[in-house]
Amino acid sequence: MNRMLYSREIEDELMIQFIILYAIKGADEPLAYTDLLTTVQENCEISFTDLQLGLDNLVKTGHVSARRISDMIYVYDLTQKGRYVIDFFYTQIPLIIREPIDKSIKELYIEKRRREAVRAGIDPINENEFNAECNLYDDDKLLIMSLRLYAGTRDEAERIAEYFKTNSAEVYGGILDLFNRKNEVDEDV
Protein backbone atom coordinates (compact mmCIF):
# COMPACT_ATOMS: atom_id res chain seq x y z
CA MET A 1 0.00 0.00 0.00
CA ASN A 2 1.39 3.39 -1.02
CA ARG A 3 1.60 6.24 1.44
CA MET A 4 -0.68 8.94 0.09
CA LEU A 5 1.30 12.10 -0.64
CA TYR A 6 -1.71 14.36 -1.24
CA SER A 7 -3.94 13.76 1.75
CA ARG A 8 -6.49 16.58 1.43
CA GLU A 9 -9.87 15.37 0.29
CA ILE A 10 -10.55 16.18 -3.34
CA GLU A 11 -14.12 17.26 -3.85
CA ASP A 12 -13.90 19.25 -7.08
CA GLU A 13 -15.93 17.25 -9.62
CA LEU A 14 -13.83 18.35 -12.59
CA MET A 15 -10.54 17.52 -10.84
CA ILE A 16 -11.88 14.07 -9.93
CA GLN A 17 -12.77 13.45 -13.57
CA PHE A 18 -9.32 14.63 -14.72
CA ILE A 19 -7.72 12.22 -12.23
CA ILE A 20 -9.85 9.33 -13.50
CA LEU A 21 -8.98 10.17 -17.13
CA TYR A 22 -5.29 10.41 -16.20
CA ALA A 23 -5.30 7.02 -14.46
CA ILE A 24 -7.05 5.30 -17.38
CA LYS A 25 -4.70 6.94 -19.90
CA GLY A 26 -1.66 5.58 -18.06
CA ALA A 27 -2.85 1.97 -18.27
CA ASP A 28 -1.35 -0.35 -20.88
CA GLU A 29 -4.77 -1.78 -21.72
CA PRO A 30 -8.39 -1.18 -20.73
CA LEU A 31 -8.38 -0.78 -16.95
CA ALA A 32 -10.53 -3.05 -14.80
CA TYR A 33 -12.87 -1.27 -12.40
CA THR A 34 -11.14 -2.67 -9.30
CA ASP A 35 -7.71 -1.60 -10.59
CA LEU A 36 -9.01 1.89 -11.37
CA LEU A 37 -10.61 2.16 -7.95
CA THR A 38 -7.47 0.95 -6.18
CA THR A 39 -5.12 3.16 -8.20
CA VAL A 40 -7.11 6.33 -7.62
CA GLN A 41 -8.16 5.77 -4.02
CA GLU A 42 -4.71 4.63 -2.85
CA ASN A 43 -3.23 7.87 -4.16
CA CYS A 44 -6.01 10.43 -3.70
CA GLU A 45 -8.44 11.23 -0.95
CA ILE A 46 -11.63 10.93 -3.01
CA SER A 47 -14.83 9.50 -1.59
CA PHE A 48 -16.13 6.38 -3.27
CA THR A 49 -19.36 8.17 -4.15
CA ASP A 50 -17.58 11.11 -5.80
CA LEU A 51 -15.31 8.73 -7.70
CA GLN A 52 -18.25 6.70 -8.95
CA LEU A 53 -20.20 9.83 -9.97
CA GLY A 54 -17.16 11.13 -11.86
CA LEU A 55 -16.67 7.82 -13.67
CA ASP A 56 -20.36 7.57 -14.55
CA ASN A 57 -20.31 11.12 -15.91
CA LEU A 58 -17.24 10.41 -18.06
CA VAL A 59 -18.97 7.37 -19.55
CA LYS A 60 -22.18 9.34 -20.11
CA THR A 61 -20.34 12.23 -21.83
CA GLY A 62 -18.38 9.85 -24.07
CA HIS A 63 -14.91 10.53 -22.63
CA VAL A 64 -14.58 6.96 -21.33
CA SER A 65 -15.93 3.72 -22.75
CA ALA A 66 -17.11 0.98 -20.41
CA ARG A 67 -17.17 -2.63 -21.51
CA ARG A 68 -18.61 -5.52 -19.55
CA ILE A 69 -16.39 -8.59 -19.85
CA SER A 70 -18.22 -10.78 -17.33
CA ASP A 71 -21.12 -10.60 -14.90
CA MET A 72 -19.07 -8.63 -12.39
CA ILE A 73 -16.13 -7.21 -14.33
CA TYR A 74 -16.11 -3.97 -16.29
CA VAL A 75 -13.11 -2.45 -18.03
CA TYR A 76 -12.66 1.20 -18.92
CA ASP A 77 -10.75 2.84 -21.73
CA LEU A 78 -10.42 6.37 -23.04
CA THR A 79 -12.27 7.39 -26.15
CA GLN A 80 -10.67 9.78 -28.62
CA LYS A 81 -12.61 12.58 -26.93
CA GLY A 82 -11.21 11.55 -23.53
CA ARG A 83 -7.65 11.36 -24.89
CA TYR A 84 -7.93 14.85 -26.29
CA VAL A 85 -9.21 16.25 -22.99
CA ILE A 86 -6.57 14.64 -20.77
CA ASP A 87 -3.73 15.43 -23.19
CA PHE A 88 -4.75 19.07 -22.96
CA PHE A 89 -5.64 19.29 -19.24
CA TYR A 90 -3.39 16.80 -17.44
CA THR A 91 -1.24 19.68 -16.13
CA GLN A 92 -4.25 20.78 -14.07
CA ILE A 93 -3.64 17.72 -11.87
CA PRO A 94 -0.94 18.49 -9.29
CA LEU A 95 2.32 16.60 -9.84
CA ILE A 96 2.05 15.28 -6.28
CA ILE A 97 -1.03 13.34 -7.47
CA ARG A 98 0.19 12.37 -10.97
CA GLU A 99 3.47 10.80 -9.84
CA PRO A 100 1.95 8.26 -7.40
CA ILE A 101 -0.71 7.34 -9.97
CA ASP A 102 2.02 6.78 -12.56
CA LYS A 103 3.91 4.60 -10.07
CA SER A 104 0.79 2.56 -9.25
CA ILE A 105 0.00 1.99 -12.93
CA LYS A 106 3.61 0.99 -13.59
CA GLU A 107 3.50 -1.53 -10.73
CA LEU A 108 0.21 -2.90 -12.04
CA TYR A 109 1.78 -3.75 -15.42
CA ILE A 110 5.45 -4.24 -14.49
CA GLU A 111 5.63 -7.96 -15.27
CA LYS A 112 3.90 -7.52 -18.62
CA ARG A 113 6.17 -4.60 -19.50
CA ARG A 114 9.26 -6.63 -18.64
CA ARG A 115 8.08 -9.56 -20.78
CA GLU A 116 7.61 -7.17 -23.70
CA ALA A 117 10.82 -5.18 -23.11
CA VAL A 118 12.89 -7.21 -25.57
CA ARG A 119 11.59 -7.40 -29.11
CA ALA A 120 13.38 -8.90 -32.06
CA GLY A 121 12.40 -10.12 -35.47
CA ILE A 122 13.43 -10.18 -39.09
CA ASP A 123 12.61 -7.79 -41.89
CA PRO A 124 12.98 -8.83 -45.54
CA ILE A 125 14.88 -6.47 -47.81
CA ASN A 126 14.17 -8.54 -50.90
CA GLU A 127 13.62 -12.20 -51.67
CA ASN A 128 17.13 -13.27 -50.57
CA GLU A 129 18.29 -10.60 -48.08
CA PHE A 130 17.13 -9.85 -44.53
CA ASN A 131 17.70 -7.47 -41.63
CA ALA A 132 17.43 -8.34 -37.96
CA GLU A 133 15.34 -5.79 -36.01
CA CYS A 134 16.23 -5.62 -32.31
CA ASN A 135 14.59 -3.26 -29.78
CA LEU A 136 15.00 -2.90 -26.03
CA TYR A 137 12.56 -0.97 -23.80
CA ASP A 138 12.70 -0.01 -20.14
CA ASP A 139 9.92 -0.55 -17.59
CA ASP A 140 8.28 2.73 -18.65
CA LYS A 141 8.00 1.55 -22.28
CA LEU A 142 10.73 3.97 -23.33
CA LEU A 143 12.82 2.73 -26.25
CA ILE A 144 16.40 2.59 -24.96
CA MET A 145 18.04 0.76 -27.85
CA SER A 146 17.09 -0.02 -31.43
CA LEU A 147 19.32 -1.97 -33.79
CA ARG A 148 18.72 -2.78 -37.41
CA LEU A 149 21.42 -5.15 -38.61
CA TYR A 150 21.91 -6.36 -42.15
CA ALA A 151 22.20 -10.12 -41.83
CA GLY A 152 22.15 -11.32 -45.41
CA THR A 153 20.32 -14.62 -45.25
CA ARG A 154 17.07 -15.36 -43.46
CA ASP A 155 18.79 -17.95 -41.25
CA GLU A 156 21.42 -15.43 -40.13
CA ALA A 157 18.76 -12.77 -39.41
CA GLU A 158 16.76 -15.29 -37.34
CA ARG A 159 19.91 -16.32 -35.45
CA ILE A 160 20.70 -12.67 -34.61
CA ALA A 161 17.11 -12.01 -33.49
CA GLU A 162 17.06 -15.10 -31.25
CA TYR A 163 20.47 -14.24 -29.77
CA PHE A 164 19.25 -10.73 -28.98
CA LYS A 165 16.09 -12.05 -27.29
CA THR A 166 18.14 -14.15 -24.86
CA ASN A 167 21.15 -11.83 -24.45
CA SER A 168 19.76 -8.30 -24.74
CA ALA A 169 21.32 -7.06 -21.50
CA GLU A 170 24.73 -8.35 -22.59
CA VAL A 171 24.38 -6.74 -26.04
CA TYR A 172 23.27 -3.41 -24.53
CA GLY A 173 26.09 -3.49 -21.96
CA GLY A 174 28.64 -4.37 -24.65
CA ILE A 175 27.59 -1.44 -26.82
CA LEU A 176 27.82 0.94 -23.85
CA ASP A 177 31.27 -0.46 -23.01
CA LEU A 178 32.42 0.14 -26.59
CA PHE A 179 31.33 3.77 -26.47
CA ASN A 180 32.93 4.27 -23.06
CA ARG A 181 36.17 2.66 -24.22
CA LYS A 182 36.22 5.07 -27.17
CA ASN A 183 35.88 8.00 -24.74
CA GLU A 184 38.69 6.62 -22.56
CA VAL A 185 40.99 6.34 -25.61
CA ASP A 186 40.20 9.95 -26.60
CA GLU A 187 40.99 11.18 -23.06
CA ASP A 188 44.37 9.38 -23.05
CA VAL A 189 45.47 11.09 -26.28
Side-chain angles (χ1 to χ4, degrees):
M1 174 92 104
N2 294 335
R3 188 169 87 62
M4 194 178 307
L5 298 176
Y6 190 85
S7 58
R8 280 197 341 239
E9 185 167 359
I10 302 169
E11 296 176 338
D12 180 276
E13 293 173 17
L14 195 56
M15 179 60 69
I16 291 169
Q17 291 180 47
F18 285 158
I19 291 169
I20 293 168
L21 288 171
Y22 186 79
I24 294 171
K25 182 180 190 267
D28 291 358
E29 55 196 30
L31 195 57
Y33 178 75
T34 54
D35 292 334
L36 174 61
L37 190 66
T38 302
T39 298
V40 172
Q41 289 203 306
E42 275 187 0
N43 297 295
C44 306
E45 189 68 37
I46 299 173
S47 75
F48 174 80
T49 304
D50 288 344
L51 179 70
Q52 188 61 53
L53 288 171
L55 182 58
D56 290 345
N57 189 53
L58 288 167
V59 171
K60 190 183 315 177
T61 59
H63 291 89
V64 171
S65 66
R67 187 169 35 108
R68 186 178 185 163
I69 58 174
S70 76
D71 287 342
M72 297 185 63
I73 300 175
Y74 281 85
V75 294
Y76 296 88
D77 203 2
L78 291 183
T79 63
Q80 190 61 38
K81 185 177 178 181
R83 256 188 252 315
Y84 175 75
V85 167
I86 198 57
D87 285 347
F88 192 72
F89 288 108
Y90 79 95
T91 57
Q92 300 299 312
I93 305 168
L95 188 60
I96 200 166
I97 293 173
R98 289 192 321 249
E99 285 182 341
I101 287 174
D102 290 341
K103 184 178 179 202
S104 290
I105 293 291
K106 180 179 174 180
E107 289 171 3
L108 191 61
Y109 295 103
I110 195 73
E111 291 306 315
K112 179 182 180 222
R113 287 181 180 188
R114 287 184 178 161
R115 280 192 309 272
E116 296 173 354
V118 178
R119 302 175 194 168
I122 63 170
D123 184 35
I125 299 171
N126 61 43
E127 193 175 304
N128 299 315
E129 295 178 291
F130 295 84
N131 286 326
E133 300 278 340
C134 305
N135 296 307
L136 183 62
Y137 295 83
D138 71 0
D139 291 345
D140 293 317
K141 301 187 296 183
L142 177 70
L143 180 63
I144 57 174
M145 182 175 70
S146 180
L147 295 172
R148 181 182 186 119
L149 302 169
Y150 175 78
T153 67
R154 179 184 194 93
D155 288 342
E156 185 64 12
E158 288 173 350
R159 188 192 64 73
I160 291 170
E162 284 305 311
Y163 182 85
F164 184 78
K165 286 178 186 176
T166 57
N167 299 286
S168 59
E170 182 183 331
V171 171
Y172 181 68
I175 289 172
L176 289 178
D177 287 346
L178 286 170
F179 280 106
N180 287 330
R181 188 171 45 206
K182 170 71 171 114
N183 288 338
E184 291 170 4
V185 170
D186 290 344
E187 290 173 1
D188 291 338
V189 175

